[in-house]
């Protein structure tokens, strides 16, 4: 049924022509990333708050009043208007810069993939870009591969997948190709991640498998998470082109907006009342009694409005939040939105998952035993060039000891995980990164510290037999050709 629905062949896969047609119909297999606003866009967006608009109007009115008054040639008479403009621009600049410095959660999701994957097309195994994978493709999975799309497994040999990005659980999940009838809630609700499905962006930590692609891009499970992070598909705009973030305002922003509205309405009402009273009393400029009363009262009303609007509020709020953001950055907390600092201060209970949130979900080796002797393993993360093996008693170097090297070689030969240097596309920095089972990574790193590399050992010691790890045996067994 699945093969017929996607018009594919489990043995020969899709034809190249069929794959190209599906790619044109469904689009590339990648997560939608809304265009990141530029620094200028963020700066302009900061000028759209109600109280900021009131300040801009007040500054313009102040300059206009002084430009038409008796002191129009006096440069100091424009001080109030220019000062308000400086405050507004400084406030917008600080907020825009802080938000521009933070990275995006969607970009982090998009990085959880690999550039290519092996598929079967035209009856042949071939490596294709993960962005060109389409529904109906037959994907071949091996240890260390990142699942390129949502797959329905049709073959599985001891396949285990890390689904931490979906469920938050650090333990690898066993997968199989068994077909199960729908439970119809007789045995409770269906599993969030069925045993015969592998989902996009999850890494294969053990075994080999073959699956049919059933969903790509934003239609995958990880795509649903990305769509929730991005909000609705069409972003709301204000003033025709700027992103509308009013739905995500914090309590402080809402209160400042309300305060600005009340002050604005109050100032307008007072100005109108003063203007009307002045007209009724025929109040004129003492320095120019021949001038019209209405012009003099307009100048008086505008002056009152400028004085009534507290131009210091936005700057004080922004500076306070910026100081809070700077303090959090020193504690390695990244603040994506400046106003989120205030929201965190309003929280009374914070519920957090442990693995991957309070911890990194990574394991390292710190001790080992060989030949009845205890050894300490030092280092940092997955970098095999840092640290080494020392005896627990005496703290002497043990990297060259036969017992240490043979024990770690035995462990390495029972691992399918590889260790290699990768370059971060953003920072351009190289770092060591394991590819495969998270439980095997500490063994591979420790073996590399004493000179055993995964690539070299794979060439020197050919694997003849492999009995995968199982929870019942609590071990993995391999037979190697050492001739």
């Amino acid at each position: 049924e699945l093969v017929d629905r996607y018009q594919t062949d489990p043995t020969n896969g899709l034809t190249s022509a069929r794959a190209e047609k599906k790619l044109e119909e469904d689009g590339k297999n990648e997560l939608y990333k809304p265009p990141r606003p530029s620094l200028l866009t963020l700066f302009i967006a900061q000028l759209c708050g109600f109280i900021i608009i009131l300040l801009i109007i007040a500054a313009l009115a102040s300059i206009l009043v002084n430009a038409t008054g008796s002191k129009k040639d006096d440069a100091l008479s424009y001080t109030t208007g220019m000062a308000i403009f400086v405050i507004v621009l400084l406030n917008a600049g600080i907020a825009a810069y802080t938000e521009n410095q933070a990275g995006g959660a969607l970009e982090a999701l998009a990085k959880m993939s690999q550039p290519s994957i092996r598929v079967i097309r035209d009856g042949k195994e071939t490596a294709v870009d993960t962005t060109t994978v389409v529904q109906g493709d037959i994907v071949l999975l091996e240890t260390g591969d990142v699942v390129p799309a949502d797959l329905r497994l049709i073959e599985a040999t001891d396949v285990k997948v890390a689904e931490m990005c979906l469920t938050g659980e650090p333990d690898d999940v066993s997968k199989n190709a068994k077909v199960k009838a729908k439970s119809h809630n007789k045995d409770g609700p269906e599993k969030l991640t069925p045993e015969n499905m592998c989902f996009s962006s999850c890494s294969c930590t053990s075994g080999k498998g073959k699956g049919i692609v059933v969903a790509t891009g934003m239609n995958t499970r990880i795509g649903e998470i990305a769509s929730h992070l991005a909000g609705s598909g069409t972003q709301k705009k204000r003033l025709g082109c700027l992103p509308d973030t009013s739905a995500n305002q914090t309590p402080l922003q809402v209160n400042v907006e309300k305060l600005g509205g009340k002050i604005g309405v109050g100032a307008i009402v007072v100005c109108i009342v003063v203007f009307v009273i002045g007209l009724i009393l025929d109040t004129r400029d003492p320095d120019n009694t021949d001038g019209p009363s209405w012009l003099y009262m307009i100048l008086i009303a505008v002056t009152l409005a400028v004085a009534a609007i507290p131009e210091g509020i936005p700057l004080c709020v922004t500076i306070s939040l910026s100081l809070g953001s700077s303090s959090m950055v020193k504690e390695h907390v990244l603040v994506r939105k400046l106003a989120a600092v205030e929201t965190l201060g309003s929280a009374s209970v914070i519920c957090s998952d442990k693995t991957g949130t309070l911890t990194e979900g990574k394991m390292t080796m710190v001790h080992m035993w060989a030949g009845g002797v205890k050894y300490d393993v030092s280092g940092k993360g997955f970098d095999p060039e840092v640290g080494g093996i020392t005896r627990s008693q005496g703290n002497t170097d043990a990297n060259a000891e036969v017992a240490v090297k043979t024990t770690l070689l035995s462990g390495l030969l029972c691992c399918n995980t590889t260790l290699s240097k990768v370059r971060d596309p953003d920072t351009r920095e190289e770092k060591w990164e394991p590819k495969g089972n998270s439980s095997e990574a500490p063994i591979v790193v420790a073996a590399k510290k004493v000179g055993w590399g995964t690539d070299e050992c794979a060439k020197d010691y050919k694997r003849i037999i492999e009995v995968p790890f199982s929870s019942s045996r609590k071990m993995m067994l391999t037979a190697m050709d050492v001739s």
Side-chain angles (χ1 to χ4, degrees), residues 47-67:
L47 303 176
C48 297
F50 183 73
I51 193 169
I52 297 296
I53 293 175
L54 278 181
L55 289 174
I56 294 174
I57 294 174
L60 291 173
S62 176
I63 293 173
L64 181 61
V65 166
N66 288 284

Side-chain angles (χ1 to χ4, degrees), residues 354-436:
K354 180 185 75 68
T355 306
T357 306
L358 300 179
T359 62
E360 292 186 276
K362 299 176 182 177
M363 290 185 286
T364 56
M365 185 186 296
V366 294
H367 298 293
M368 65 171 287
W369 286 261
V373 179
K374 181 181 177 182
Y375 298 88
D376 295 331
V377 184
S378 61
K380 181 180 179 181
F382 296 126
D383 190 346
E385 298 173 350
V386 178
I389 316 296
T390 57
R391 284 183 174 243
S392 297
Q393 293 183 351
N395 200 32
T396 56
D397 184 14
N399 283 350
E401 290 191 15
V402 176
V404 172
K405 294 180 73 73
T406 54
T407 300
L408 289 175
L409 176 61
S410 300
L412 180 63
L413 295 178
C414 282
C415 293
N416 291 319
T417 298
T418 59
L419 182 69
S420 59
K421 270 188 175 181
V422 296
R423 184 182 296 275
D424 191 301
D426 295 330
T427 62
R428 310 302 298 172
E429 294 180 356
E430 288 189 339
K431 62 179 181 179
W432 289 91
E433 190 172 281
K435 191 176 181 183

